[in-house]
Amino acid sequence: MATPLGVQLYTVRDALAADRDGVLARLAGIGYTAIEPFNPTDDPAGFRRVADDLGLTVSGTHAIQLLDGETGPVFEAVATLGTDLAIVPAGIPQEDFTSRDGIARAADLLNGLAEDAAKHGIRIGYHNHWWEIEPVLDGRHAIEVLAELLAPEVELEIDTYWAAVGGADVPALLGRLGRRVTALHVKDGPAVRDEPHVAVGAGVMPVPEVLAAAPGAQRIVELDSCATDLFDALAASRAYLAGLGEA
């Protein structure tokens, strides 16, 4: 595998709030070697020290805080974490993805952030949910229209599960988006909105085909919610992906 297998820390958000250092140690003990935080401005220096001590790489970070106002402190925190990738995970109005004008507004926002980020040595990515997939304009999912309007340096982190919930043939979508996709959220479940997720490999997602469609993208396991114990599901997910040669 070209990149270390990661975990989006939103998966363990409740446990993380209670015992950050213990949770990171537990993830490292399971065998994960990368992590993706979601609150970069929360003690980035302390977070970095713990991650480094555990041998965990910060592959990128979600940074919805970039939409709150002044971006400079957020970019500084991202750099302190030891990554140069800040991903916008939400915050753009869902209705913007239902029209070309709305998608153009979303692209302008992301392109502006990317221009600002470059001054700090940071890259910008965007993470989808179902609402960037479900709208179809002239035969293409809204996220494909968005991709055409994005500056070349803006990356996509495709949440493969939400793409399926939105109605996409996920391997085909990844193939069309091509090199724009630099990271994948790998998750599994019934592919039904608002139903809990399960360990990767235990649901309906065609995981091997999905991964094969984006061979160079970072793999990041995420469970928004879970039908079983979260840490057991994370361990089972890693074991399944290891069996595919992904860990």
Side-chain angles (χ1 to χ4, degrees):
M1 187 182 66
T3 57
L5 182 63
V7 177
Q8 164 52 244
L9 295 181
Y10 184 77
T11 302
V12 291
R13 55 196 176 276
D14 293 335
L16 197 73
D19 181 10
R20 180 195 68 186
D21 296 2
V23 167
L24 295 181
R26 193 168 179 183
L27 294 175
I30 289 171
Y32 287 97
T33 53
I35 45 178
E36 186 181 70
F38 60 91
N39 188 4
T41 58
D42 183 10
D43 187 24
F47 188 102
R48 172 75 179 276
R49 282 194 297 272
V50 176
D52 284 351
D53 287 346
L54 293 168
L56 292 169
T57 300
V58 177
S59 59
T61 179
H62 283 194
I64 197 170
Q65 298 85 354
L66 289 171
L67 303 181
D68 291 340
E70 188 179 359
T71 58
V74 182
F75 290 133
E76 291 173 9
V78 171
T80 299
L81 286 173
T83 183
D84 66 351
L85 177 59
I87 300 164
V88 177
I92 297 175
Q94 294 184 29
E95 58 268 23
D96 279 4
F97 294 96
T98 63
S99 70
R100 289 188 175 278
D101 286 347
I103 294 171
R105 284 194 299 272
D108 287 346
L109 172 61
L110 293 168
N111 290 342
L113 281 175
E115 186 175 347
D116 189 15
K119 300 172 187 175
H120 298 266
I122 302 295
R123 299 175 289 139
I124 289 292
Y126 182 72
H127 168 280
N128 66 283
H129 292 79
W130 59 267
W131 54 81
E132 302 93 341
I133 309 296
E134 191 171 78
V136 175
L137 295 83
D138 297 328
R140 294 180 299 163
H141 296 288
I143 199 161
E144 297 179 78
V145 180
L146 175 70
E148 289 187 350
L149 298 175
L150 292 175
E153 60 270 21
V154 180
E155 304 175 17
L156 291 176
E157 176 180 68
I158 294 298
D159 188 306
T160 60
Y161 188 81
W162 284 122
V165 169
D169 176 331
V170 181
L173 175 65
L174 292 172
R176 292 193 298 272
L177 292 173
R179 294 182 180 179
R180 177 80 71 173
V181 179
T182 58
L184 301 177
H185 270 193
V186 183
K187 58 180 71 168
D188 214 337
V192 176
R193 200 184 307 170
D194 299 326
E195 290 293 322
H197 301 159
V198 299
V200 177
V204 303
M205 291 294 293
V207 177
E209 292 82 0
V210 166
L211 298 179
Q218 171 79 38
R219 280 80 158 104
I220 300 165
V221 174
E222 183 186 36
L223 304 167
D224 294 17
S225 61
C226 191
T228 62
D229 178 83
L230 278 171
F231 288 97
D232 289 347
L234 286 171
S237 297
R238 187 194 178 280
Y240 173 78
L241 292 167
L244 298 179
E246 296 285 344

